Amino acid sequence: MLNEIDNLKDRFRTDTGPGLALYIHWPFCLAKCPYCDFNSHVRERIDQVRFGSALRRELAAEAARLGTRRLTSVFFGGGTPSLMDPSAVAAILGDAARHFDVADDLEVTLEANPTSIGRLADYRAAGVNRVSIGIQSLDEAALRTLGRQHSAAEAVAALALARRLFSRVSFDLIYARPGQDLVSWRAELRAALAIAADHLSLYQLTIEPATPYEALHRQGRLVLPGADTATALYEATEEECARAGLLAYEISNYARPGEESRHNLAYWRYRDYAGIGPGAHGRVTVDGTLRATRRHRAPEPWAERVEQSGHGTTSDEPIAAADRAREALLMGLRLAEGIDLVWFAARTGQTLAQSVDAGILAQCVEAGYLTATPERLIATREGGIRLDSLLGALAT
Ligand SMILES: C[S@@+](CC[C@H](N)C(=O)[O-])C[C@H]1O[C@@H](n2cnc3c(N)ncnc32)[C@H](O)[C@@H]1O
Ligand code: SF4
């Protein structure tokens, strides 16, 4: 079996080793949204030079140990990367091109907030070729409740500008908001689809620990739609998007075929990705071993560590086979295409049968939550709706 798995690994290698996705975290925002627990911070003044240099230094340290790799995507995420100095974005992309073997069709995404879109043309000149905008809602009252600093008109104008400058543009909306019903969401989503390009991220509102929304929720002042309404909202979302030609390729992501986010696909397909910047996670193969990396979360202490030792890493551990299998399941079952079981075995070092309880797997298939063939394991629509409990049962 081990030999077989070693042979399989070759199927997923290029001349320059396994492909690599690169994530760069920019940890600052103009204001903190009350629902959000991303690693994002508000500062009166951001030291662009310091943070730009620290990102470049940490990238250089990571690249040195990864060796030559085929770089398939770069993602500037946050926080609000549209607050980054375009010269820092250009410098990071220039470094990446020197460190790695850049794929001809390299995807370079930058997340933007409608309040900071003045430099989109400069990001394009720097090498960004895809933009993802946080619009969240097209409803003025909802934007105010979400604590957003822009109007719906400003969000739509930001999108129009992005579409003039970039051929690949996506935007985020949050739904299943307090008081939202099926009729109003369908209307809002249809309006969104009318101005959408080829990709949308549509997230159900989640109450995250230690956010102002959590306090409101605890006090009963913020009531989410019940489970049945949330399911109906999800089904309506899929239906409206499909009608507009955008297919659900992942639980919260919709695209015209071929326009999926290649960077995010690398996470869900459990491929190698390097994470640079405060709080960034990575999964990288070093000397044939898959390792989990994590950087210091708080921006200034992270920068200090980078300045002192060249990187802000707080943990860098090999991932045991059982954990690799659990992670590959957690990520892969989010995808409509499911999990390539040949890849699964090559990546984790164990087969699906060695990774899950056969009885539970059979029950999930029997109940219609999973389809399993020798090649693929896929969560059905029914399984996707209850993905958390499905994963809880399967990936223990
Ligand atoms: C890093 S932000 C995107 C760019 C930019 N920071 C912005 O908000 O305009 C990532 C996305 O995560 C989503 N998000 C954050 N917190 C969420 C929550 N609690 N529930 C659902 N979606 C959330 C939002 O749609 C947000 O656009
Ligand atoms: S949703 Fe975006 S803008 Fe708002 S706090 Fe989170 S990362 Fe910042």
Side-chain angles (χ1 to χ4, degrees), residues 21 38 58 109-110 115 145 163 210 239 245 259 283 299 323 345 347 377 383:
F38 282 58
E58 187 166 71
T109 305
L110 181 127
T115 55
T145 328
R163 293 201 59 183
E239 195 185 299
E259 287 304 320
R283 292 288 180 276
D323 293 329
R347 181 63 154 173
L377 181 70

Side-chain angles (χ1 to χ4, degrees), residues 29 31-33 35-36 40 79-80 113 148:
C29 292
K32 185 79 193 174
C33 306
Y35 53 83
C36 175
S40 62
T80 302
N113 183 298
R148 300 291 290 183

Side-chain angles (χ1 to χ4, degrees), residues 35-91:
Y35 53 83
C36 175
D37 80 338
F38 282 58
N39 186 24
S40 62
H41 308 263
V42 178
R43 299 282 183 266
E44 221 155 78
R45 195 186 144 269
I46 302 166
D47 191 338
Q48 291 278 348
V49 173
R50 183 182 194 202
F51 280 91
S53 307
L55 288 170
R56 292 180 68 187
R57 227 179 131 188
E58 187 166 71
L59 172 59
E62 187 71 346
R65 71 173 192 151
L66 292 179
T68 313
R69 291 285 179 90
R70 169 67 59 89
L71 186 66
T72 51
S73 62
V74 183
F75 194 101
F76 292 89
T80 302
S82 53
L83 295 174
M84 270 178 98
D85 223 327
S87 63
V89 172

